[in-house]
């Protein structure tokens, strides 16, 4: 959910708490891990990567199992790791489950925040979708739609008067996760407690780590949110999908889903990824320092401030923040400042240059603008605007490249052109 660089934590941190099912006191230690490690649980010297292929149960919680070693109730911790975009981490556990803490993800989020985030070499990829993906089962459903970001629309429906029907839609990032989702606690029904304990489960369950519902009321009020139940379901969903090992861009719509259906959606996405069907693999952002390492332009002629999206050899999205401090506004219609069209074209060319120079075969080359076609300026660009450029290759050869570039201000097309480049040393 962050900037899609690989990340770990700055220092080792730990916490202890009661295991929901065993009732035992359990300690976990989060430790920094090198790039490309992934998230790895460690118990009794057995390393279990947080991947779908190791999921052994998705009924009431998510459990991972490898070589006879199993770790349960990992989803709340994974939800927090997802929100901070932690991609590389060792998690040492001295028991068979992650402690339940207060039934929410907040203790884990605060623990990670206290450790600090360390950016690492290597860019994290992300998945986006060319069309909808849906799983339906017994009147329940979960789907993901193309969307430039990460958004969840979730609906639950229970006959219990304390829950009833709840719906929530949220655009999710680190800030919204901590404020809106992380504090939401798990919940259960009093009439299930005896049967679960007879099955050897929830020995550590209490009013301190779950919302408990009797036949007609909520036993341990007050709630942290009026709709805390659906918020916790969103937390579970985020943790479950984190097992894909790669962030998603999309709008998830869930109707009475749960761990099992969430995992089925994740497995479907994994199958699509293996077949390269309906999925686009992109890379994360480039800040100004990284842009300076790609193209040769410098102030005052560097006109791109950030690269937002990268799909290698397929697409690059960059932005230009237009401010009144630009030198050209002093003389270009000073009483009614408008960004010169030639500079909009130059910013387009620089975005396209990043697209071309990111290819390994073009590294170290110079990209010269050699021709223009289909140039149209649709609306004036003025101070305070932000232009979002999208560059898509039309034809790339050894020494020449043709790229189509469009620029938007908000959702309105401001300019478009087809640019021809010469690639030289």
């Amino acid at each position: 959910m962050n900037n899609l660089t690989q990340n770990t934590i700055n220092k080792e941190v730990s916490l202890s708490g009661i295991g929901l099912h065993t009732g035992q006191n359990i300690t976990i230690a989060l430790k920094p891990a090198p790039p490309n490690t992934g998230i790895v649980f460690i118990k009794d010297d057995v390393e279990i990567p947080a991947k779908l292929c190791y999921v052994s149960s998705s009924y009431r919680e998510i459990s991972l199992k490898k070589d006879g070693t199993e770790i349960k109730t990992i989803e709340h911790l994974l939800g927090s790791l997802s929100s901070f975009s932690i991609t590389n981490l060792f998690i040492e556990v001295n028991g068979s489950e992650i402690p339940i803490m207060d039934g929410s993800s907040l203790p884990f989020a605060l623990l990670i925040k206290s450790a600090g985030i360390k950016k690492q070499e290597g860019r994290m990829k992300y998945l986006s979708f060319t069309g909808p993906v849906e799983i339906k089962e017994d009147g329940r459903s979960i789907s993901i739609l193309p969307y430039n970001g990460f958004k969840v629309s979730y609906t639950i429906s229970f006959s219990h008067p304390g829950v009833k029907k709840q719906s929530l839609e949220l655009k999710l990032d680190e800030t919204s996760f901590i404020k809106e989702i992380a504090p939401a606690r798990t919940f259960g029904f009093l009439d299930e407690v005896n049967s679960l304990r007879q099955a050897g489960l929830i020995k550590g369950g209490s009013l301190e780590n779950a919302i408990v519902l009797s036949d007609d009321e909520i036993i341990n009020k007050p709630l942290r949110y009026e709709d805390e139940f659906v918020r916790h379901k969103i937390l579970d969903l985020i943790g479950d999908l984190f097992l894909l090992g790669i962030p998603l861009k999309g709008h998830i719509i869930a109707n009475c889903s749960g761990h099992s259906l969430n995992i089925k959606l994740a497995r479907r996405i994994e199958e699509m990824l293996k077949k390269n069907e309906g999925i686009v693999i992109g890379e994360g952002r480039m800040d100004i320092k990284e842009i300076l390492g790609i193209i040769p332009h410098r102030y005052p002629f560097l006109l791109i401030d950030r690269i937002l999206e990268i799909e290698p050899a397929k697409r690059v999205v960059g932005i230009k923040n237009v401010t009144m401090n630009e030198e050209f506004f002093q003389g270009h219609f000073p009483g009614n400042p408008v960004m010169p069209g030639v500079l909009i074209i130059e910013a387009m060319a620089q975005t396209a240059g990043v697209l071309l120079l990111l290819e390994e075969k073009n590294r170290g080359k110079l990209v010269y603008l050699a021709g223009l076609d289909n140039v149209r300026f649709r609306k004036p660009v003025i101070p305070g605007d932000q232009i979002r450029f999208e560059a898509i290759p039309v034809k790339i050869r050894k020494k020449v490249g043709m790229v189509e570039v469009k620029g938007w201000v908000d959702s309105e097309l401001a300019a478009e052109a087809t640019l021809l480049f010469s690639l030289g040393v």
Side-chain angles (χ1 to χ4, degrees), residues 183-295:
R185 296 163 294 169
T186 191
F187 59 94
F189 296 88
L190 189 61
D191 60 6
E192 295 180 331
V193 170
N194 289 336
S195 61
L196 289 172
R197 285 185 171 165
Q198 286 173 5
L201 301 174
I202 65 166
K203 295 177 182 177
S206 73
L207 297 178
E208 303 300 319
N209 53 41
I211 304 169
V212 181
L213 300 108
S214 66
D215 290 341
D216 56 3
E217 65 176 347
I218 300 169
I219 294 177
N220 49 337
K221 289 183 178 179
L223 296 176
R224 294 179 177 176
Y225 307 93
E226 184 178 352
D227 56 354
E228 188 168 356
F229 303 96
V230 70
R231 291 173 189 262
H232 186 81
K233 286 291 190 179
I234 294 175
L235 165 59
D236 284 343
L237 171 67
I238 295 168
D240 295 347
L241 294 182
F242 190 63
L243 290 164
L244 276 164
I246 182 168
L248 303 178
K249 281 193 173 185
H251 179 190
I252 296 176
I253 302 174
N255 180 33
C256 300
S257 186
H259 290 303
S260 180
L261 212 59
N262 299 342
I263 293 298
K264 287 181 179 180
L265 176 65
R267 293 193 191 281
R268 174 75 61 82
I269 293 170
E270 190 174 62
E271 289 172 6
M272 294 172 62
L273 183 59
K274 289 176 181 178
K275 296 177 181 178
N276 195 27
E277 295 179 352
I279 286 181
V280 175
I281 304 173
E283 294 183 356
R285 301 178 180 182
M286 295 175 64
D287 60 23
I288 191 64
K289 291 182 180 179
E290 292 174 293
I291 293 172
L292 290 171
I294 294 290
I295 62 177

Side-chain angles (χ1 to χ4, degrees), residues 75-264:
E75 59 271 16
H76 300 168
L77 173 56
L78 293 186
S80 283
L81 296 178
S82 175
S83 76
F84 285 96
S85 296
I86 301 297
T87 53
N88 304 300
L89 192 70
F90 294 120
I91 305 168
E92 294 186 355
V93 187
N94 70 348
S96 60
E97 57 185 322
I98 302 300
I100 191 63
M101 307 309 292
D102 66 350
S104 80
S105 185
L106 187 58
F108 302 116
L110 296 176
L111 182 70
I112 296 164
K113 195 170 183 178
S114 72
I117 311 303
K118 180 181 179 181
K119 291 187 177 182
Q120 297 176 293
E121 294 294 327
R123 196 175 300 280
M124 183 64 180
K125 298 182 184 299
Y126 65 85
L127 301 182
S128 58
F129 299 83
T130 60
V133 183
E134 185 175 33
I135 302 288
K136 289 184 176 181
E137 188 177 273
D138 300 328
R140 301 175 298 132
S141 66
I142 183 169
S143 61
I144 185 164
L145 308 177
Y147 177 74
N148 187 29
F150 187 64
K151 181 167 67 173
V152 175
S153 300
Y154 209 117
T155 298
I156 61 171
S157 182
F158 288 85
S159 59
H160 193 284
V163 185
K164 297 182 181 179
K165 184 176 181 178
Q166 297 184 0
S167 296
L168 183 64
E169 180 173 291
L170 279 176
K171 294 179 181 180
L172 285 161
D173 55 24
E174 178 185 319
T175 301
S176 63
F177 177 85
I178 293 175
K179 180 181 179 181
E180 307 289 349
I181 298 299
R185 296 163 294 169
T186 191
F187 59 94
F189 296 88
L190 189 61
D191 60 6
E192 295 180 331
V193 170
N194 289 336
S195 61
L196 289 172
R197 285 185 171 165
Q198 286 173 5
L201 301 174
I202 65 166
K203 295 177 182 177
S206 73
L207 297 178
E208 303 300 319
N209 53 41
I211 304 169
V212 181
L213 300 108
S214 66
D215 290 341
D216 56 3
E217 65 176 347
I218 300 169
I219 294 177
N220 49 337
K221 289 183 178 179
L223 296 176
R224 294 179 177 176
Y225 307 93
E226 184 178 352
D227 56 354
E228 188 168 356
F229 303 96
V230 70
R231 291 173 189 262
H232 186 81
K233 286 291 190 179
I234 294 175
L235 165 59
D236 284 343
L237 171 67
I238 295 168
D240 295 347
L241 294 182
F242 190 63
L243 290 164
L244 276 164
I246 182 168
L248 303 178
K249 281 193 173 185
H251 179 190
I252 296 176
I253 302 174
N255 180 33
C256 300
S257 186
H259 290 303
S260 180
L261 212 59
N262 299 342
I263 293 298
K264 287 181 179 180

